[in-house]
Short mmCIF file of all heavy atoms in Angstrom, two decimals:
data_model
loop_
_atom_site.label_atom_id
_atom_site.label_comp_id
_atom_site.label_asym_id
_atom_site.label_seq_id
_atom_site.Cartn_x
_atom_site.Cartn_y
_atom_site.Cartn_z
N GLU A 97 92.65 88.64 113.50
CA GLU A 97 93.51 89.86 113.80
C GLU A 97 92.79 90.71 114.77
O GLU A 97 93.35 91.27 115.75
CB GLU A 97 93.83 90.61 112.52
CG GLU A 97 94.77 89.86 111.62
CD GLU A 97 95.00 90.53 110.27
OE1 GLU A 97 94.01 91.14 109.75
OE2 GLU A 97 96.08 90.52 109.76
N SER A 98 91.55 90.96 114.54
CA SER A 98 90.68 91.83 115.39
C SER A 98 90.68 91.29 116.83
O SER A 98 90.80 92.08 117.74
CB SER A 98 89.28 92.02 114.79
OG SER A 98 88.52 92.75 115.67
N SER A 99 90.42 90.02 116.90
CA SER A 99 90.41 89.37 118.31
C SER A 99 91.68 89.49 118.96
O SER A 99 91.79 89.78 120.19
CB SER A 99 89.93 87.91 118.12
OG SER A 99 89.87 87.29 119.31
N GLU A 100 92.79 89.10 118.24
CA GLU A 100 94.16 89.24 118.87
C GLU A 100 94.49 90.65 119.23
O GLU A 100 95.02 90.89 120.35
CB GLU A 100 95.19 88.71 117.88
CG GLU A 100 95.19 87.22 117.72
CD GLU A 100 96.23 86.65 116.79
OE1 GLU A 100 96.85 87.44 115.94
OE2 GLU A 100 96.48 85.48 116.75
N ALA A 101 94.22 91.60 118.42
CA ALA A 101 94.49 92.97 118.64
C ALA A 101 93.69 93.50 119.86
O ALA A 101 94.20 94.11 120.70
CB ALA A 101 94.25 93.90 117.38
N GLY A 102 92.38 93.07 119.82
CA GLY A 102 91.59 93.50 121.05
C GLY A 102 92.19 92.91 122.31
O GLY A 102 92.13 93.63 123.32
N TRP A 103 92.57 91.69 122.28
CA TRP A 103 93.13 91.05 123.52
C TRP A 103 94.38 91.86 123.92
O TRP A 103 94.61 92.17 125.06
CB TRP A 103 93.44 89.59 123.31
CG TRP A 103 94.08 88.92 124.39
CD1 TRP A 103 93.49 88.38 125.54
CD2 TRP A 103 95.47 88.77 124.58
NE1 TRP A 103 94.46 87.87 126.33
CE2 TRP A 103 95.69 88.12 125.81
CE3 TRP A 103 96.59 89.12 123.87
CZ2 TRP A 103 96.96 87.79 126.42
CZ3 TRP A 103 97.90 88.83 124.42
CH2 TRP A 103 98.07 88.14 125.58
N ALA A 104 95.20 92.06 122.92
CA ALA A 104 96.55 92.69 123.24
C ALA A 104 96.32 94.15 123.77
O ALA A 104 96.94 94.55 124.80
CB ALA A 104 97.40 92.76 121.96
N VAL A 105 95.43 94.87 123.19
CA VAL A 105 95.11 96.19 123.76
C VAL A 105 94.51 96.10 125.11
O VAL A 105 94.87 96.95 125.98
CB VAL A 105 94.16 96.90 122.71
CG1 VAL A 105 93.52 98.16 123.32
CG2 VAL A 105 94.93 97.35 121.48
N GLY A 106 93.62 95.22 125.33
CA GLY A 106 93.09 95.04 126.72
C GLY A 106 94.23 94.82 127.74
O GLY A 106 94.12 95.36 128.83
N ILE A 107 95.19 93.98 127.40
CA ILE A 107 96.25 93.62 128.34
C ILE A 107 97.01 94.94 128.61
O ILE A 107 97.31 95.28 129.75
CB ILE A 107 97.09 92.51 127.84
CG1 ILE A 107 96.35 91.18 127.73
CG2 ILE A 107 98.44 92.38 128.59
CD1 ILE A 107 95.92 90.65 129.09
N ILE A 108 97.43 95.57 127.51
CA ILE A 108 98.23 96.78 127.62
C ILE A 108 97.55 97.86 128.52
O ILE A 108 98.08 98.40 129.43
CB ILE A 108 98.61 97.35 126.24
CG1 ILE A 108 99.40 96.33 125.41
CG2 ILE A 108 99.29 98.72 126.32
CD1 ILE A 108 100.83 96.18 125.83
N LEU A 109 96.24 98.09 128.13
CA LEU A 109 95.47 99.08 128.93
C LEU A 109 95.27 98.75 130.38
O LEU A 109 95.42 99.58 131.26
CB LEU A 109 94.20 99.36 128.27
CG LEU A 109 94.17 100.07 126.91
CD1 LEU A 109 92.81 100.19 126.29
CD2 LEU A 109 94.92 101.35 126.97
N ALA A 110 94.98 97.47 130.67
CA ALA A 110 94.83 97.08 132.08
C ALA A 110 96.12 97.18 132.86
O ALA A 110 96.06 97.72 134.02
CB ALA A 110 94.28 95.62 132.12
N LEU A 111 97.17 96.77 132.30
CA LEU A 111 98.47 96.90 133.08
C LEU A 111 98.95 98.34 133.06
O LEU A 111 99.46 98.76 134.18
CB LEU A 111 99.55 96.00 132.40
CG LEU A 111 99.32 94.50 132.56
CD1 LEU A 111 100.39 93.66 131.89
CD2 LEU A 111 99.07 94.04 133.91
N SER A 112 98.60 99.10 132.12
CA SER A 112 98.99 100.56 132.15
C SER A 112 98.23 101.26 133.31
O SER A 112 98.71 102.12 133.97
CB SER A 112 98.66 101.24 130.83
OG SER A 112 99.49 100.71 129.80
N GLU A 113 96.95 100.92 133.45
CA GLU A 113 96.14 101.47 134.51
C GLU A 113 96.74 101.18 135.86
O GLU A 113 96.76 102.04 136.70
CB GLU A 113 94.66 101.05 134.39
CG GLU A 113 93.76 101.68 135.36
CD GLU A 113 92.40 101.20 135.22
OE1 GLU A 113 91.90 100.80 134.12
OE2 GLU A 113 91.62 101.17 136.25
N ARG A 114 97.15 99.92 136.02
CA ARG A 114 97.78 99.55 137.28
C ARG A 114 99.06 100.40 137.51
O ARG A 114 99.29 100.77 138.66
CB ARG A 114 98.12 98.08 137.25
CG ARG A 114 96.85 97.21 137.54
CD ARG A 114 97.11 95.78 137.62
NE ARG A 114 98.26 95.37 138.33
CZ ARG A 114 98.84 94.24 138.33
NH1 ARG A 114 98.34 93.21 137.54
NH2 ARG A 114 99.95 93.91 139.02
N ILE A 115 99.87 100.46 136.47
CA ILE A 115 101.16 101.25 136.67
C ILE A 115 100.83 102.69 137.08
O ILE A 115 101.48 103.25 137.95
CB ILE A 115 101.92 101.25 135.35
CG1 ILE A 115 102.47 99.82 135.13
CG2 ILE A 115 103.11 102.18 135.37
CD1 ILE A 115 103.10 99.56 133.73
N LEU A 116 99.75 103.28 136.42
CA LEU A 116 99.40 104.68 136.76
C LEU A 116 98.93 104.82 138.20
O LEU A 116 99.10 105.85 138.74
CB LEU A 116 98.38 105.19 135.82
CG LEU A 116 98.85 105.39 134.39
CD1 LEU A 116 97.71 105.79 133.46
CD2 LEU A 116 99.92 106.58 134.34
N LYS A 117 98.42 103.77 138.74
CA LYS A 117 98.00 103.69 140.14
C LYS A 117 99.14 103.34 141.13
O LYS A 117 98.97 103.41 142.29
CB LYS A 117 96.90 102.74 140.34
CG LYS A 117 95.58 103.16 139.62
CD LYS A 117 94.45 102.16 139.83
CE LYS A 117 93.22 102.63 139.13
NZ LYS A 117 92.14 101.65 139.25
N GLY A 118 100.32 103.15 140.58
CA GLY A 118 101.46 102.79 141.47
C GLY A 118 101.74 101.41 141.59
O GLY A 118 102.74 101.06 142.29
N ASP A 119 100.96 100.53 141.03
CA ASP A 119 101.23 99.05 141.18
C ASP A 119 102.14 98.53 140.06
O ASP A 119 101.68 98.38 138.97
CB ASP A 119 99.85 98.30 141.17
CG ASP A 119 100.11 96.76 141.36
OD1 ASP A 119 101.20 96.34 141.51
OD2 ASP A 119 99.04 96.08 141.23
N ILE A 120 103.39 98.47 140.38
CA ILE A 120 104.40 98.15 139.22
C ILE A 120 104.91 96.72 139.35
O ILE A 120 105.79 96.31 138.68
CB ILE A 120 105.55 99.09 139.20
CG1 ILE A 120 106.29 99.09 140.66
CG2 ILE A 120 105.12 100.53 138.90
CD1 ILE A 120 107.59 99.86 140.61
N HIS A 121 104.27 95.96 140.28
CA HIS A 121 104.64 94.57 140.45
C HIS A 121 103.71 93.64 139.63
O HIS A 121 102.64 93.59 139.84
CB HIS A 121 104.69 94.22 141.93
CG HIS A 121 105.55 95.17 142.76
ND1 HIS A 121 106.91 95.07 142.77
CD2 HIS A 121 105.21 96.16 143.57
CE1 HIS A 121 107.40 95.94 143.50
NE2 HIS A 121 106.43 96.72 143.97
N PHE A 122 104.36 92.82 138.78
CA PHE A 122 103.53 91.90 137.91
C PHE A 122 103.93 90.49 138.20
O PHE A 122 105.09 90.22 138.57
CB PHE A 122 103.82 92.22 136.48
CG PHE A 122 103.42 93.64 136.05
CD1 PHE A 122 104.40 94.34 135.42
CD2 PHE A 122 102.25 94.04 136.20
CE1 PHE A 122 104.09 95.61 135.01
CE2 PHE A 122 101.86 95.30 135.69
CZ PHE A 122 102.77 96.15 135.24
N THR A 123 102.96 89.52 138.17
CA THR A 123 103.33 88.22 138.23
C THR A 123 103.94 87.65 136.98
O THR A 123 103.96 88.45 135.97
CB THR A 123 102.01 87.33 138.44
OG1 THR A 123 101.20 87.39 137.23
CG2 THR A 123 101.21 87.79 139.71
N HIS A 124 104.54 86.50 137.02
CA HIS A 124 105.19 86.00 135.89
C HIS A 124 104.18 85.80 134.73
O HIS A 124 104.46 86.14 133.55
CB HIS A 124 105.79 84.63 136.19
CG HIS A 124 106.53 83.95 135.06
ND1 HIS A 124 107.83 84.45 134.58
CD2 HIS A 124 106.27 82.94 134.33
CE1 HIS A 124 108.09 83.65 133.55
NE2 HIS A 124 107.18 82.75 133.34
N GLU A 125 102.97 85.37 135.01
CA GLU A 125 101.97 85.21 134.03
C GLU A 125 101.55 86.59 133.39
O GLU A 125 101.39 86.62 132.17
CB GLU A 125 100.75 84.67 134.68
CG GLU A 125 99.57 84.41 133.72
CD GLU A 125 98.31 83.84 134.31
OE1 GLU A 125 98.43 83.30 135.49
OE2 GLU A 125 97.27 83.80 133.69
N GLU A 126 101.49 87.57 134.21
CA GLU A 126 101.17 88.96 133.65
C GLU A 126 102.35 89.44 132.70
O GLU A 126 101.96 90.02 131.70
CB GLU A 126 100.93 89.93 134.81
CG GLU A 126 99.63 89.65 135.50
CD GLU A 126 99.46 90.48 136.83
OE1 GLU A 126 100.49 90.78 137.42
OE2 GLU A 126 98.37 90.71 137.20
N ALA A 127 103.55 89.20 133.13
CA ALA A 127 104.68 89.58 132.42
C ALA A 127 104.65 88.87 131.05
O ALA A 127 104.95 89.43 129.92
CB ALA A 127 106.05 89.33 133.09
N GLU A 128 104.26 87.53 130.99
CA GLU A 128 104.15 86.79 129.79
C GLU A 128 103.05 87.31 128.88
O GLU A 128 103.25 87.42 127.64
CB GLU A 128 103.97 85.29 130.08
CG GLU A 128 105.21 84.59 130.62
CD GLU A 128 104.89 83.15 130.87
OE1 GLU A 128 103.76 82.73 130.99
OE2 GLU A 128 106.00 82.40 131.00
N LYS A 129 101.95 87.70 129.51
CA LYS A 129 100.81 88.26 128.70
C LYS A 129 101.26 89.59 128.09
O LYS A 129 100.90 89.91 126.90
CB LYS A 129 99.65 88.46 129.55
CG LYS A 129 98.92 87.15 129.88
CD LYS A 129 97.64 87.42 130.73
CE LYS A 129 96.94 86.21 131.11
NZ LYS A 129 95.74 86.44 131.89
N LEU A 130 101.97 90.40 128.87
CA LEU A 130 102.47 91.67 128.35
C LEU A 130 103.41 91.54 127.16
O LEU A 130 103.29 92.17 126.14
CB LEU A 130 103.13 92.47 129.46
CG LEU A 130 103.62 93.87 129.05
CD1 LEU A 130 102.53 94.80 128.51
CD2 LEU A 130 104.31 94.52 130.30
N ALA A 131 104.26 90.50 127.26
CA ALA A 131 105.21 90.16 126.21
C ALA A 131 104.49 89.71 124.97
O ALA A 131 104.77 90.18 123.78
CB ALA A 131 106.20 89.18 126.65
N LYS A 132 103.43 88.92 125.10
CA LYS A 132 102.68 88.40 123.98
C LYS A 132 101.86 89.55 123.34
O LYS A 132 101.81 89.68 122.13
CB LYS A 132 101.78 87.27 124.42
CG LYS A 132 100.90 86.72 123.36
CD LYS A 132 101.66 86.06 122.25
CE LYS A 132 100.81 85.45 121.20
NZ LYS A 132 101.54 84.95 120.14
N ALA A 133 101.30 90.39 124.25
CA ALA A 133 100.58 91.55 123.62
C ALA A 133 101.46 92.46 122.86
O ALA A 133 101.10 92.97 121.75
CB ALA A 133 99.98 92.30 124.80
N SER A 134 102.73 92.75 123.44
CA SER A 134 103.64 93.56 122.63
C SER A 134 104.05 92.94 121.29
O SER A 134 104.11 93.61 120.35
CB SER A 134 104.86 93.81 123.53
OG SER A 134 104.60 94.47 124.71
N GLU A 135 104.19 91.68 121.34
CA GLU A 135 104.55 90.91 120.13
C GLU A 135 103.43 91.09 119.04
O GLU A 135 103.68 91.29 117.87
CB GLU A 135 104.83 89.45 120.44
CG GLU A 135 105.15 88.59 119.30
CD GLU A 135 105.34 87.08 119.58
OE1 GLU A 135 105.97 86.85 120.64
OE2 GLU A 135 104.74 86.31 118.94
N ILE A 136 102.21 90.90 119.49
CA ILE A 136 101.04 91.17 118.58
C ILE A 136 101.01 92.51 118.01
O ILE A 136 100.94 92.73 116.79
CB ILE A 136 99.70 90.71 119.31
CG1 ILE A 136 99.68 89.25 119.51
CG2 ILE A 136 98.57 91.17 118.45
CD1 ILE A 136 98.53 88.81 120.54
N LEU A 137 101.10 93.50 118.85
CA LEU A 137 101.00 94.90 118.37
C LEU A 137 102.25 95.33 117.54
O LEU A 137 102.05 96.21 116.75
CB LEU A 137 100.85 95.85 119.57
CG LEU A 137 99.43 95.73 120.31
CD1 LEU A 137 99.41 96.72 121.47
CD2 LEU A 137 98.26 95.90 119.33
N ASN A 138 103.33 94.65 117.76
CA ASN A 138 104.49 95.00 116.93
C ASN A 138 104.30 94.65 115.43
O ASN A 138 105.03 95.12 114.61
CB ASN A 138 105.76 94.26 117.44
CG ASN A 138 106.39 94.92 118.66
OD1 ASN A 138 106.12 96.18 118.79
ND2 ASN A 138 107.13 94.32 119.45
N GLY A 139 103.27 93.87 115.18
CA GLY A 139 102.86 93.49 113.81
C GLY A 139 102.18 94.72 113.07
O GLY A 139 101.84 94.48 111.86
N TYR A 140 101.91 95.68 113.74
CA TYR A 140 101.11 96.88 113.17
C TYR A 140 102.11 98.10 113.15
O TYR A 140 103.03 98.17 114.04
CB TYR A 140 99.98 97.27 114.09
CG TYR A 140 98.97 96.08 114.06
CD1 TYR A 140 98.92 95.06 115.10
CD2 TYR A 140 97.97 95.92 113.11
CE1 TYR A 140 98.07 94.03 115.01
CE2 TYR A 140 97.06 94.89 113.04
CZ TYR A 140 97.16 94.00 114.05
OH TYR A 140 96.25 92.91 114.00
N SER A 141 101.92 99.02 112.32
CA SER A 141 102.65 100.20 112.28
C SER A 141 102.38 101.05 113.55
O SER A 141 101.38 100.81 114.22
CB SER A 141 102.21 101.04 111.03
OG SER A 141 100.99 101.56 111.18
N PHE A 142 103.15 102.01 113.77
CA PHE A 142 103.06 102.83 114.96
C PHE A 142 101.63 103.60 114.84
O PHE A 142 100.99 103.59 115.87
CB PHE A 142 104.14 103.88 114.98
CG PHE A 142 103.99 104.85 116.18
CD1 PHE A 142 104.29 104.49 117.41
CD2 PHE A 142 103.55 106.17 115.87
CE1 PHE A 142 104.05 105.38 118.45
CE2 PHE A 142 103.38 107.07 116.91
CZ PHE A 142 103.69 106.64 118.26
N GLU A 143 101.31 104.13 113.67
CA GLU A 143 100.00 104.73 113.55
C GLU A 143 98.90 103.73 113.83
O GLU A 143 97.87 104.18 114.51
CB GLU A 143 99.83 105.32 112.12
CG GLU A 143 100.82 106.45 111.88
CD GLU A 143 102.25 106.01 111.47
OE1 GLU A 143 102.45 104.84 111.25
OE2 GLU A 143 103.07 106.95 111.45
N GLU A 144 98.98 102.51 113.38
CA GLU A 144 97.88 101.54 113.63
C GLU A 144 97.85 101.17 115.12
O GLU A 144 96.76 101.01 115.65
CB GLU A 144 98.23 100.23 112.81
CG GLU A 144 97.94 100.47 111.32
CD GLU A 144 98.40 99.30 110.44
OE1 GLU A 144 99.36 98.63 110.82
OE2 GLU A 144 97.77 99.03 109.46
N GLN A 145 98.99 101.11 115.74
CA GLN A 145 99.04 100.84 117.16
C GLN A 145 98.27 101.89 117.94
O GLN A 145 97.48 101.59 118.92
CB GLN A 145 100.43 100.68 117.67
CG GLN A 145 101.21 99.46 117.23
CD GLN A 145 102.57 99.36 117.75
OE1 GLN A 145 102.90 99.91 118.80
NE2 GLN A 145 103.49 98.74 117.01
N ILE A 146 98.57 103.18 117.61
CA ILE A 146 97.90 104.32 118.29
C ILE A 146 96.42 104.24 118.08
O ILE A 146 95.63 104.39 119.05
CB ILE A 146 98.51 105.67 117.91
CG1 ILE A 146 100.01 105.76 118.15
CG2 ILE A 146 97.71 106.75 118.35
CD1 ILE A 146 100.28 105.72 119.62
N GLU A 147 96.02 103.99 116.79
CA GLU A 147 94.58 103.85 116.55
C GLU A 147 93.96 102.73 117.31
O GLU A 147 92.87 102.83 117.84
CB GLU A 147 94.33 103.67 115.07
CG GLU A 147 92.94 103.77 114.65
CD GLU A 147 92.77 103.87 113.05
OE1 GLU A 147 93.69 104.03 112.37
OE2 GLU A 147 91.62 103.79 112.72
N LEU A 148 94.62 101.53 117.33
CA LEU A 148 94.05 100.38 118.16
C LEU A 148 93.93 100.72 119.63
O LEU A 148 92.93 100.35 120.24
CB LEU A 148 94.96 99.18 117.93
CG LEU A 148 94.89 98.51 116.60
CD1 LEU A 148 96.06 97.48 116.47
CD2 LEU A 148 93.50 97.79 116.37
N LEU A 149 94.93 101.39 120.21
CA LEU A 149 94.84 101.78 121.60
C LEU A 149 93.73 102.79 121.80
O LEU A 149 92.98 102.69 122.76
CB LEU A 149 96.21 102.35 122.09
CG LEU A 149 97.28 101.34 122.18
CD1 LEU A 149 98.62 101.97 122.39
CD2 LEU A 149 97.03 100.36 123.42
N GLY A 150 93.52 103.76 120.87
CA GLY A 150 92.42 104.70 120.92
C GLY A 150 91.07 103.95 120.83
O GLY A 150 90.17 104.33 121.70
N LEU A 151 90.94 103.03 119.99
CA LEU A 151 89.70 102.22 119.96
C LEU A 151 89.54 101.43 121.20
O LEU A 151 88.38 101.36 121.73
CB LEU A 151 89.72 101.18 118.79
CG LEU A 151 89.66 101.89 117.35
CD1 LEU A 151 89.93 100.91 116.31
CD2 LEU A 151 88.30 102.58 117.20
N GLY A 152 90.58 100.95 121.79
CA GLY A 152 90.52 100.19 123.12
C GLY A 152 89.94 101.11 124.16
O GLY A 152 89.24 100.68 125.07
N LEU A 153 90.48 102.34 124.21
CA LEU A 153 89.98 103.29 125.25
C LEU A 153 88.57 103.56 125.02
O LEU A 153 87.87 103.84 126.05
CB LEU A 153 90.81 104.57 125.18
CG LEU A 153 92.26 104.45 125.68
CD1 LEU A 153 93.09 105.74 125.35
CD2 LEU A 153 92.30 104.18 127.11
N LYS A 154 88.06 103.47 123.86
CA LYS A 154 86.60 103.66 123.56
C LYS A 154 85.83 102.42 123.66
O LYS A 154 84.57 102.39 123.66
CB LYS A 154 86.44 104.16 122.14
CG LYS A 154 86.98 105.63 121.94
CD LYS A 154 86.73 106.04 120.53
CE LYS A 154 87.37 107.31 120.19
NZ LYS A 154 87.25 107.74 118.77
N GLY A 155 86.54 101.31 123.85
CA GLY A 155 85.90 99.98 124.09
C GLY A 155 85.34 99.40 122.81
O GLY A 155 84.40 98.57 122.74
N SER A 156 86.07 99.62 121.64
CA SER A 156 85.57 99.04 120.39
C SER A 156 86.62 98.56 119.43
O SER A 156 86.55 98.77 118.22
CB SER A 156 84.78 100.27 119.59
OG SER A 156 85.67 101.32 119.33
N VAL A 157 87.49 97.83 119.96
CA VAL A 157 88.59 97.27 119.15
C VAL A 157 88.04 96.11 118.33
O VAL A 157 88.24 95.99 117.13
CB VAL A 157 89.87 96.78 119.97
CG1 VAL A 157 90.77 96.02 119.10
CG2 VAL A 157 90.49 98.00 120.62
#
Side-chain angles (χ1 to χ4, degrees):
E97 289 172 327
S98 178
S99 179
E100 287 180 345
W103 176 85
V105 166
I107 294 295
I108 299 284
L109 293 177
L111 294 179
S112 295
E113 184 176 332
R114 283 183 42 196
I115 290 169
L116 290 172
K117 292 179 179 177
D119 181 3
I120 59 170
H121 303 286
F122 301 121
T123 65
H124 181 73
E125 181 181 346
E126 290 169 329
E128 287 179 344
K129 285 181 180 180
L130 181 58
K132 179 65 177 172
S134 297
E135 181 182 313
I136 290 168
L137 292 181
N138 281 338
Y140 297 92
S141 71
F142 177 74
E143 292 82 9
E144 290 171 325
Q145 289 178 31
I146 297 300
E147 190 169 351
L148 287 168
L149 288 168
L151 290 170
L153 289 170
K154 293 178 184 175
S156 62
V157 172

